PDB file of all heavy atoms in Angstrom:
ATOM      1  N   VAL A   1       0.821  -1.206   0.000  1.00  0.00           N
ATOM      2  CA  VAL A   1       0.000   0.000   0.000  1.00  0.00           C
ATOM      3  C   VAL A   1       0.857   1.260   0.000  1.00  0.00           C
ATOM      4  O   VAL A   1       0.743   2.095  -0.894  1.00  0.00           O
ATOM      5  CB  VAL A   1      -0.983   0.005   1.199  1.00  0.00           C
ATOM      6  CG1 VAL A   1      -1.789   1.280   1.217  1.00  0.00           C
ATOM      7  CG2 VAL A   1      -1.907  -1.207   1.116  1.00  0.00           C
ATOM      8  N   HIS A   2       1.737   1.398   0.978  1.00  0.00           N
ATOM      9  CA  HIS A   2       2.519   2.634   1.085  1.00  0.00           C
ATOM     10  C   HIS A   2       3.432   2.867  -0.115  1.00  0.00           C
ATOM     11  O   HIS A   2       3.543   3.998  -0.601  1.00  0.00           O
ATOM     12  CB  HIS A   2       3.333   2.665   2.370  1.00  0.00           C
ATOM     13  CG  HIS A   2       2.499   2.820   3.594  1.00  0.00           C
ATOM     14  ND1 HIS A   2       3.006   2.640   4.848  1.00  0.00           N
ATOM     15  CD2 HIS A   2       1.183   3.134   3.776  1.00  0.00           C
ATOM     16  CE1 HIS A   2       2.041   2.832   5.747  1.00  0.00           C
ATOM     17  NE2 HIS A   2       0.942   3.134   5.116  1.00  0.00           N
ATOM     18  N   ALA A   3       4.092   1.815  -0.590  1.00  0.00           N
ATOM     19  CA  ALA A   3       5.008   1.992  -1.723  1.00  0.00           C
ATOM     20  C   ALA A   3       4.257   2.445  -2.970  1.00  0.00           C
ATOM     21  O   ALA A   3       4.724   3.338  -3.684  1.00  0.00           O
ATOM     22  CB  ALA A   3       5.780   0.714  -2.004  1.00  0.00           C
ATOM     23  N   SER A   4       3.109   1.850  -3.224  1.00  0.00           N
ATOM     24  CA  SER A   4       2.370   2.276  -4.415  1.00  0.00           C
ATOM     25  C   SER A   4       1.828   3.694  -4.251  1.00  0.00           C
ATOM     26  O   SER A   4       1.822   4.476  -5.199  1.00  0.00           O
ATOM     27  CB  SER A   4       1.254   1.288  -4.758  1.00  0.00           C
ATOM     28  OG  SER A   4       0.332   1.157  -3.711  1.00  0.00           O
ATOM     29  N   LEU A   5       1.398   4.057  -3.042  1.00  0.00           N
ATOM     30  CA  LEU A   5       0.894   5.411  -2.804  1.00  0.00           C
ATOM     31  C   LEU A   5       2.003   6.459  -2.819  1.00  0.00           C
ATOM     32  O   LEU A   5       1.743   7.642  -3.051  1.00  0.00           O
ATOM     33  CB  LEU A   5       0.150   5.478  -1.465  1.00  0.00           C
ATOM     34  CG  LEU A   5      -1.180   4.730  -1.395  1.00  0.00           C
ATOM     35  CD1 LEU A   5      -1.730   4.764   0.016  1.00  0.00           C
ATOM     36  CD2 LEU A   5      -2.189   5.299  -2.381  1.00  0.00           C
ATOM     37  N   SER A   6       3.249   6.032  -2.562  1.00  0.00           N
ATOM     38  CA  SER A   6       4.385   6.955  -2.531  1.00  0.00           C
ATOM     39  C   SER A   6       4.954   7.224  -3.916  1.00  0.00           C
ATOM     40  O   SER A   6       5.919   7.966  -4.060  1.00  0.00           O
ATOM     41  CB  SER A   6       5.495   6.388  -1.642  1.00  0.00           C
ATOM     42  OG  SER A   6       5.037   6.257  -0.323  1.00  0.00           O
ATOM     43  N   THR A   7       4.373   6.607  -4.918  1.00  0.00           N
ATOM     44  CA  THR A   7       4.807   6.792  -6.309  1.00  0.00           C
ATOM     45  C   THR A   7       3.566   7.120  -7.130  1.00  0.00           C
ATOM     46  O   THR A   7       2.473   7.242  -6.594  1.00  0.00           O
ATOM     47  CB  THR A   7       5.449   5.497  -6.852  1.00  0.00           C
ATOM     48  OG1 THR A   7       4.452   4.471  -6.907  1.00  0.00           O
ATOM     49  CG2 THR A   7       6.608   5.038  -5.987  1.00  0.00           C
ATOM     50  N   ASP A   8       3.731   7.218  -8.416  1.00  0.00           N
ATOM     51  CA  ASP A   8       2.581   7.418  -9.301  1.00  0.00           C
ATOM     52  C   ASP A   8       1.951   6.091  -9.711  1.00  0.00           C
ATOM     53  O   ASP A   8       1.054   6.048 -10.544  1.00  0.00           O
ATOM     54  CB  ASP A   8       3.009   8.187 -10.559  1.00  0.00           C
ATOM     55  CG  ASP A   8       3.317   9.635 -10.279  1.00  0.00           C
ATOM     56  OD1 ASP A   8       2.762  10.177  -9.304  1.00  0.00           O
ATOM     57  OD2 ASP A   8       4.109  10.232 -11.033  1.00  0.00           O
ATOM     58  N   MET A   9       2.432   4.996  -9.145  1.00  0.00           N
ATOM     59  CA  MET A   9       1.963   3.666  -9.481  1.00  0.00           C
ATOM     60  C   MET A   9       0.543   3.444  -8.949  1.00  0.00           C
ATOM     61  O   MET A   9       0.193   3.922  -7.879  1.00  0.00           O
ATOM     62  CB  MET A   9       2.938   2.654  -8.859  1.00  0.00           C
ATOM     63  CG  MET A   9       2.537   1.225  -8.938  1.00  0.00           C
ATOM     64  SD  MET A   9       3.753   0.032  -8.292  1.00  0.00           S
ATOM     65  CE  MET A   9       4.805   0.931  -7.205  1.00  0.00           C
ATOM     66  N   SER A  10      -0.262   2.710  -9.691  1.00  0.00           N
ATOM     67  CA  SER A  10      -1.604   2.339  -9.240  1.00  0.00           C
ATOM     68  C   SER A  10      -1.534   1.060  -8.435  1.00  0.00           C
ATOM     69  O   SER A  10      -0.754   0.162  -8.744  1.00  0.00           O
ATOM     70  CB  SER A  10      -2.526   2.100 -10.442  1.00  0.00           C
ATOM     71  OG  SER A  10      -2.668   3.253 -11.215  1.00  0.00           O
ATOM     72  N   ALA A  11      -2.363   0.970  -7.416  1.00  0.00           N
ATOM     73  CA  ALA A  11      -2.494  -0.266  -6.636  1.00  0.00           C
ATOM     74  C   ALA A  11      -3.741  -0.993  -7.123  1.00  0.00           C
ATOM     75  O   ALA A  11      -4.831  -0.430  -7.137  1.00  0.00           O
ATOM     76  CB  ALA A  11      -2.621   0.047  -5.155  1.00  0.00           C
ATOM     77  N   VAL A  12      -3.569  -2.229  -7.542  1.00  0.00           N
ATOM     78  CA  VAL A  12      -4.681  -3.065  -7.973  1.00  0.00           C
ATOM     79  C   VAL A  12      -4.955  -4.016  -6.807  1.00  0.00           C
ATOM     80  O   VAL A  12      -4.203  -4.956  -6.568  1.00  0.00           O
ATOM     81  CB  VAL A  12      -4.345  -3.848  -9.262  1.00  0.00           C
ATOM     82  CG1 VAL A  12      -5.523  -4.694  -9.701  1.00  0.00           C
ATOM     83  CG2 VAL A  12      -3.902  -2.899 -10.373  1.00  0.00           C
ATOM     84  N   LEU A  13      -6.013  -3.711  -6.042  1.00  0.00           N
ATOM     85  CA  LEU A  13      -6.306  -4.469  -4.830  1.00  0.00           C
ATOM     86  C   LEU A  13      -7.032  -5.767  -5.156  1.00  0.00           C
ATOM     87  O   LEU A  13      -7.989  -5.789  -5.923  1.00  0.00           O
ATOM     88  CB  LEU A  13      -7.152  -3.634  -3.875  1.00  0.00           C
ATOM     89  CG  LEU A  13      -6.527  -2.315  -3.412  1.00  0.00           C
ATOM     90  CD1 LEU A  13      -7.490  -1.564  -2.519  1.00  0.00           C
ATOM     91  CD2 LEU A  13      -5.212  -2.554  -2.704  1.00  0.00           C
ATOM     92  N   MET A  14      -6.549  -6.844  -4.550  1.00  0.00           N
ATOM     93  CA  MET A  14      -7.141  -8.166  -4.704  1.00  0.00           C
ATOM     94  C   MET A  14      -7.280  -8.743  -3.303  1.00  0.00           C
ATOM     95  O   MET A  14      -6.310  -9.243  -2.742  1.00  0.00           O
ATOM     96  CB  MET A  14      -6.239  -9.043  -5.578  1.00  0.00           C
ATOM     97  CG  MET A  14      -6.784 -10.391  -5.864  1.00  0.00           C
ATOM     98  SD  MET A  14      -5.636 -11.259  -6.967  1.00  0.00           S
ATOM     99  CE  MET A  14      -6.603 -12.698  -7.253  1.00  0.00           C
ATOM    100  N   PRO A  15      -8.481  -8.650  -2.703  1.00  0.00           N
ATOM    101  CA  PRO A  15      -8.643  -9.030  -1.299  1.00  0.00           C
ATOM    102  C   PRO A  15      -8.335 -10.491  -0.977  1.00  0.00           C
ATOM    103  O   PRO A  15      -7.918 -10.793   0.126  1.00  0.00           O
ATOM    104  CB  PRO A  15     -10.119  -8.738  -1.013  1.00  0.00           C
ATOM    105  CG  PRO A  15     -10.600  -7.903  -2.134  1.00  0.00           C
ATOM    106  CD  PRO A  15      -9.696  -8.133  -3.292  1.00  0.00           C
ATOM    107  N   ARG A  16      -8.493 -11.362  -1.936  1.00  0.00           N
ATOM    108  CA  ARG A  16      -8.232 -12.777  -1.682  1.00  0.00           C
ATOM    109  C   ARG A  16      -7.496 -13.363  -2.876  1.00  0.00           C
ATOM    110  O   ARG A  16      -7.989 -13.297  -4.001  1.00  0.00           O
ATOM    111  CB  ARG A  16      -9.541 -13.517  -1.448  1.00  0.00           C
ATOM    112  CG  ARG A  16      -9.323 -14.930  -1.033  1.00  0.00           C
ATOM    113  CD  ARG A  16     -10.591 -15.561  -0.569  1.00  0.00           C
ATOM    114  NE  ARG A  16     -10.299 -16.898  -0.102  1.00  0.00           N
ATOM    115  CZ  ARG A  16     -11.174 -17.839  -0.008  1.00  0.00           C
ATOM    116  NH1 ARG A  16     -12.428 -17.603  -0.328  1.00  0.00           N
ATOM    117  NH2 ARG A  16     -10.830 -19.017   0.420  1.00  0.00           N
ATOM    118  N   PHE A  17      -6.338 -13.934  -2.629  1.00  0.00           N
ATOM    119  CA  PHE A  17      -5.511 -14.450  -3.717  1.00  0.00           C
ATOM    120  C   PHE A  17      -5.959 -15.818  -4.188  1.00  0.00           C
ATOM    121  O   PHE A  17      -6.216 -16.723  -3.385  1.00  0.00           O
ATOM    122  CB  PHE A  17      -4.040 -14.546  -3.274  1.00  0.00           C
ATOM    123  CG  PHE A  17      -3.154 -15.103  -4.352  1.00  0.00           C
ATOM    124  CD1 PHE A  17      -2.657 -14.267  -5.328  1.00  0.00           C
ATOM    125  CD2 PHE A  17      -2.859 -16.454  -4.406  1.00  0.00           C
ATOM    126  CE1 PHE A  17      -1.855 -14.769  -6.346  1.00  0.00           C
ATOM    127  CE2 PHE A  17      -2.055 -16.963  -5.411  1.00  0.00           C
ATOM    128  CZ  PHE A  17      -1.559 -16.118  -6.389  1.00  0.00           C
ATOM    129  N   ASP A  18      -6.040 -15.969  -5.494  1.00  0.00           N
ATOM    130  CA  ASP A  18      -6.072 -17.283  -6.125  1.00  0.00           C
ATOM    131  C   ASP A  18      -5.434 -17.103  -7.499  1.00  0.00           C
ATOM    132  O   ASP A  18      -5.506 -16.030  -8.107  1.00  0.00           O
ATOM    133  CB  ASP A  18      -7.485 -17.885  -6.188  1.00  0.00           C
ATOM    134  CG  ASP A  18      -8.379 -17.251  -7.226  1.00  0.00           C
ATOM    135  OD1 ASP A  18      -8.225 -17.574  -8.421  1.00  0.00           O
ATOM    136  OD2 ASP A  18      -9.243 -16.436  -6.850  1.00  0.00           O
ATOM    137  N   GLY A  19      -4.769 -18.129  -7.966  1.00  0.00           N
ATOM    138  CA  GLY A  19      -3.980 -18.037  -9.183  1.00  0.00           C
ATOM    139  C   GLY A  19      -4.770 -17.603 -10.399  1.00  0.00           C
ATOM    140  O   GLY A  19      -4.312 -16.759 -11.184  1.00  0.00           O
ATOM    141  N   LYS A  20      -5.949 -18.152 -10.578  1.00  0.00           N
ATOM    142  CA  LYS A  20      -6.760 -17.850 -11.759  1.00  0.00           C
ATOM    143  C   LYS A  20      -7.166 -16.373 -11.786  1.00  0.00           C
ATOM    144  O   LYS A  20      -7.052 -15.703 -12.817  1.00  0.00           O
ATOM    145  CB  LYS A  20      -7.997 -18.743 -11.774  1.00  0.00           C
ATOM    146  CG  LYS A  20      -8.800 -18.680 -13.041  1.00  0.00           C
ATOM    147  CD  LYS A  20      -9.940 -19.701 -13.014  1.00  0.00           C
ATOM    148  CE  LYS A  20     -10.746 -19.632 -14.283  1.00  0.00           C
ATOM    149  NZ  LYS A  20     -11.865 -20.596 -14.266  1.00  0.00           N
ATOM    150  N   SER A  21      -7.637 -15.855 -10.652  1.00  0.00           N
ATOM    151  CA  SER A  21      -8.026 -14.438 -10.574  1.00  0.00           C
ATOM    152  C   SER A  21      -6.811 -13.524 -10.730  1.00  0.00           C
ATOM    153  O   SER A  21      -6.902 -12.471 -11.373  1.00  0.00           O
ATOM    154  CB  SER A  21      -8.719 -14.140  -9.250  1.00  0.00           C
ATOM    155  OG  SER A  21      -9.919 -14.859  -9.151  1.00  0.00           O
ATOM    156  N   ALA A  22      -5.691 -13.916 -10.131  1.00  0.00           N
ATOM    157  CA  ALA A  22      -4.475 -13.112 -10.242  1.00  0.00           C
ATOM    158  C   ALA A  22      -4.020 -13.039 -11.697  1.00  0.00           C
ATOM    159  O   ALA A  22      -3.679 -11.956 -12.188  1.00  0.00           O
ATOM    160  CB  ALA A  22      -3.367 -13.681  -9.358  1.00  0.00           C
ATOM    161  N   LEU A  23      -4.027 -14.160 -12.401  1.00  0.00           N
ATOM    162  CA  LEU A  23      -3.640 -14.174 -13.809  1.00  0.00           C
ATOM    163  C   LEU A  23      -4.559 -13.277 -14.630  1.00  0.00           C
ATOM    164  O   LEU A  23      -4.101 -12.476 -15.451  1.00  0.00           O
ATOM    165  CB  LEU A  23      -3.655 -15.595 -14.368  1.00  0.00           C
ATOM    166  CG  LEU A  23      -3.431 -15.712 -15.877  1.00  0.00           C
ATOM    167  CD1 LEU A  23      -2.079 -15.130 -16.281  1.00  0.00           C
ATOM    168  CD2 LEU A  23      -3.564 -17.151 -16.322  1.00  0.00           C
ATOM    169  N   LYS A  24      -5.851 -13.382 -14.384  1.00  0.00           N
ATOM    170  CA  LYS A  24      -6.822 -12.552 -15.104  1.00  0.00           C
ATOM    171  C   LYS A  24      -6.537 -11.064 -14.864  1.00  0.00           C
ATOM    172  O   LYS A  24      -6.562 -10.254 -15.792  1.00  0.00           O
ATOM    173  CB  LYS A  24      -8.238 -12.908 -14.641  1.00  0.00           C
ATOM    174  CG  LYS A  24      -9.327 -12.177 -15.361  1.00  0.00           C
ATOM    175  CD  LYS A  24     -10.693 -12.640 -14.854  1.00  0.00           C
ATOM    176  CE  LYS A  24     -11.807 -11.827 -15.511  1.00  0.00           C
ATOM    177  NZ  LYS A  24     -13.131 -12.231 -15.009  1.00  0.00           N
ATOM    178  N   THR A  25      -6.237 -10.713 -13.627  1.00  0.00           N
ATOM    179  CA  THR A  25      -5.951  -9.316 -13.264  1.00  0.00           C
ATOM    180  C   THR A  25      -4.643  -8.842 -13.890  1.00  0.00           C
ATOM    181  O   THR A  25      -4.569  -7.729 -14.424  1.00  0.00           O
ATOM    182  CB  THR A  25      -5.906  -9.163 -11.732  1.00  0.00           C
ATOM    183  OG1 THR A  25      -7.169  -9.564 -11.203  1.00  0.00           O
ATOM    184  CG2 THR A  25      -5.605  -7.732 -11.319  1.00  0.00           C
ATOM    185  N   ILE A  26      -3.612  -9.668 -13.824  1.00  0.00           N
ATOM    186  CA  ILE A  26      -2.316  -9.313 -14.424  1.00  0.00           C
ATOM    187  C   ILE A  26      -2.483  -9.040 -15.916  1.00  0.00           C
ATOM    188  O   ILE A  26      -1.990  -8.047 -16.443  1.00  0.00           O
ATOM    189  CB  ILE A  26      -1.265 -10.424 -14.179  1.00  0.00           C
ATOM    190  CG1 ILE A  26      -0.898 -10.479 -12.696  1.00  0.00           C
ATOM    191  CG2 ILE A  26      -0.024 -10.221 -15.046  1.00  0.00           C
ATOM    192  CD1 ILE A  26      -0.118 -11.723 -12.288  1.00  0.00           C
ATOM    193  N   LYS A  27      -3.208  -9.916 -16.575  1.00  0.00           N
ATOM    194  CA  LYS A  27      -3.414  -9.796 -18.023  1.00  0.00           C
ATOM    195  C   LYS A  27      -4.263  -8.569 -18.362  1.00  0.00           C
ATOM    196  O   LYS A  27      -3.889  -7.760 -19.206  1.00  0.00           O
ATOM    197  CB  LYS A  27      -4.077 -11.069 -18.541  1.00  0.00           C
ATOM    198  CG  LYS A  27      -4.272 -11.091 -20.035  1.00  0.00           C
ATOM    199  CD  LYS A  27      -4.889 -12.408 -20.470  1.00  0.00           C
ATOM    200  CE  LYS A  27      -5.094 -12.449 -21.974  1.00  0.00           C
ATOM    201  NZ  LYS A  27      -5.679 -13.737 -22.391  1.00  0.00           N
ATOM    202  N   LYS A  28      -5.399  -8.422 -17.698  1.00  0.00           N
ATOM    203  CA  LYS A  28      -6.345  -7.337 -17.997  1.00  0.00           C
ATOM    204  C   LYS A  28      -5.770  -5.971 -17.672  1.00  0.00           C
ATOM    205  O   LYS A  28      -5.872  -5.035 -18.468  1.00  0.00           O
ATOM    206  CB  LYS A  28      -7.639  -7.554 -17.212  1.00  0.00           C
ATOM    207  CG  LYS A  28      -8.684  -6.453 -17.384  1.00  0.00           C
ATOM    208  CD  LYS A  28      -9.934  -6.799 -16.577  1.00  0.00           C
ATOM    209  CE  LYS A  28     -10.560  -5.655 -15.893  1.00  0.00           C
ATOM    210  NZ  LYS A  28      -9.983  -5.021 -14.791  1.00  0.00           N
ATOM    211  N   ASP A  29      -5.157  -5.823 -16.490  1.00  0.00           N
ATOM    212  CA  ASP A  29      -4.663  -4.526 -16.035  1.00  0.00           C
ATOM    213  C   ASP A  29      -3.208  -4.257 -16.394  1.00  0.00           C
ATOM    214  O   ASP A  29      -2.675  -3.211 -16.038  1.00  0.00           O
ATOM    215  CB  ASP A  29      -4.846  -4.401 -14.523  1.00  0.00           C
ATOM    216  CG  ASP A  29      -6.316  -4.345 -14.123  1.00  0.00           C
ATOM    217  OD1 ASP A  29      -7.108  -3.738 -14.864  1.00  0.00           O
ATOM    218  OD2 ASP A  29      -6.654  -4.906 -13.065  1.00  0.00           O
ATOM    219  N   LYS A  30      -2.564  -5.205 -17.064  1.00  0.00           N
ATOM    220  CA  LYS A  30      -1.144  -5.055 -17.424  1.00  0.00           C
ATOM    221  C   LYS A  30      -0.305  -4.732 -16.182  1.00  0.00           C
ATOM    222  O   LYS A  30       0.466  -3.764 -16.147  1.00  0.00           O
ATOM    223  CB  LYS A  30      -0.947  -3.979 -18.485  1.00  0.00           C
ATOM    224  CG  LYS A  30      -1.688  -4.237 -19.775  1.00  0.00           C
ATOM    225  CD  LYS A  30      -0.891  -5.123 -20.673  1.00  0.00           C
ATOM    226  CE  LYS A  30      -1.527  -5.256 -22.047  1.00  0.00           C
ATOM    227  NZ  LYS A  30      -1.862  -6.623 -22.369  1.00  0.00           N
ATOM    228  N   VAL A  31      -0.481  -5.556 -15.161  1.00  0.00           N
ATOM    229  CA  VAL A  31       0.247  -5.390 -13.898  1.00  0.00           C
ATOM    230  C   VAL A  31       1.741  -5.498 -14.168  1.00  0.00           C
ATOM    231  O   VAL A  31       2.196  -6.390 -14.882  1.00  0.00           O
ATOM    232  CB  VAL A  31      -0.225  -6.452 -12.873  1.00  0.00           C
ATOM    233  CG1 VAL A  31       0.685  -6.494 -11.659  1.00  0.00           C
ATOM    234  CG2 VAL A  31      -1.668  -6.194 -12.475  1.00  0.00           C
ATOM    235  N   THR A  32       2.507  -4.581 -13.579  1.00  0.00           N
ATOM    236  CA  THR A  32       3.960  -4.583 -13.755  1.00  0.00           C
ATOM    237  C   THR A  32       4.702  -5.076 -12.517  1.00  0.00           C
ATOM    238  O   THR A  32       5.838  -5.519 -12.611  1.00  0.00           O
ATOM    239  CB  THR A  32       4.476  -3.157 -14.074  1.00  0.00           C
ATOM    240  OG1 THR A  32       4.133  -2.287 -12.992  1.00  0.00           O
ATOM    241  CG2 THR A  32       3.903  -2.648 -15.382  1.00  0.00           C
ATOM    242  N   THR A  33       4.045  -4.991 -11.362  1.00  0.00           N
ATOM    243  CA  THR A  33       4.719  -5.302 -10.100  1.00  0.00           C
ATOM    244  C   THR A  33       3.840  -6.179  -9.229  1.00  0.00           C
ATOM    245  O   THR A  33       2.647  -5.916  -9.083  1.00  0.00           O
ATOM    246  CB  THR A  33       5.067  -4.002  -9.347  1.00  0.00           C
ATOM    247  OG1 THR A  33       5.851  -3.172 -10.210  1.00  0.00           O
ATOM    248  CG2 THR A  33       5.838  -4.279  -8.078  1.00  0.00           C
ATOM    249  N   VAL A  34       4.446  -7.215  -8.662  1.00  0.00           N
ATOM    250  CA  VAL A  34       3.741  -8.123  -7.763  1.00  0.00           C
ATOM    251  C   VAL A  34       4.583  -8.284  -6.505  1.00  0.00           C
ATOM    252  O   VAL A  34       5.807  -8.430  -6.582  1.00  0.00           O
ATOM    253  CB  VAL A  34       3.519  -9.510  -8.414  1.00  0.00           C
ATOM    254  CG1 VAL A  34       2.938 -10.507  -7.424  1.00  0.00           C
ATOM    255  CG2 VAL A  34       2.622  -9.393  -9.649  1.00  0.00           C
ATOM    256  N   ILE A  35       3.915  -8.223  -5.345  1.00  0.00           N
ATOM    257  CA  ILE A  35       4.576  -8.613  -4.101  1.00  0.00           C
ATOM    258  C   ILE A  35       3.916  -9.917  -3.683  1.00  0.00           C
ATOM    259  O   ILE A  35       2.701 -10.064  -3.780  1.00  0.00           O
ATOM    260  CB  ILE A  35       4.484  -7.532  -3.009  1.00  0.00           C
ATOM    261  CG1 ILE A  35       3.041  -7.183  -2.665  1.00  0.00           C
ATOM    262  CG2 ILE A  35       5.266  -6.301  -3.423  1.00  0.00           C
ATOM    263  CD1 ILE A  35       2.893  -6.309  -1.446  1.00  0.00           C
ATOM    264  N   ALA A  36       4.730 -10.881  -3.266  1.00  0.00           N
ATOM    265  CA  ALA A  36       4.194 -12.219  -3.052  1.00  0.00           C
ATOM    266  C   ALA A  36       4.975 -12.969  -1.980  1.00  0.00           C
ATOM    267  O   ALA A  36       6.101 -12.610  -1.644  1.00  0.00           O
ATOM    268  CB  ALA A  36       4.257 -13.009  -4.358  1.00  0.00           C
TER     269      ALA A  36
END
């Protein structure tokens, strides 16, 4: 949260992780950064 807010980067919030939803989000939103 803080790192994304401290830059111009957008935070794409995903309240509950699962691989299928994460892949869909990465693909759709062109996610560049993941913390895991």
Side-chain angles (χ1 to χ4, degrees):
V1 178
H2 290 168
S4 60
L5 291 174
S6 298
T7 65
D8 288 334
M9 172 176 21
S10 298
V12 181
L13 301 178
M14 183 177 186
R16 186 170 184 201
F17 179 84
D18 74 78
K20 189 175 180 181
S21 296
L23 173 60
K24 183 178 176 182
T25 301
I26 291 167
K27 183 178 180 179
K28 177 179 140 289
D29 293 323
K30 301 275 187 240
V31 169
T32 60
T33 304
V34 173
I35 59 170

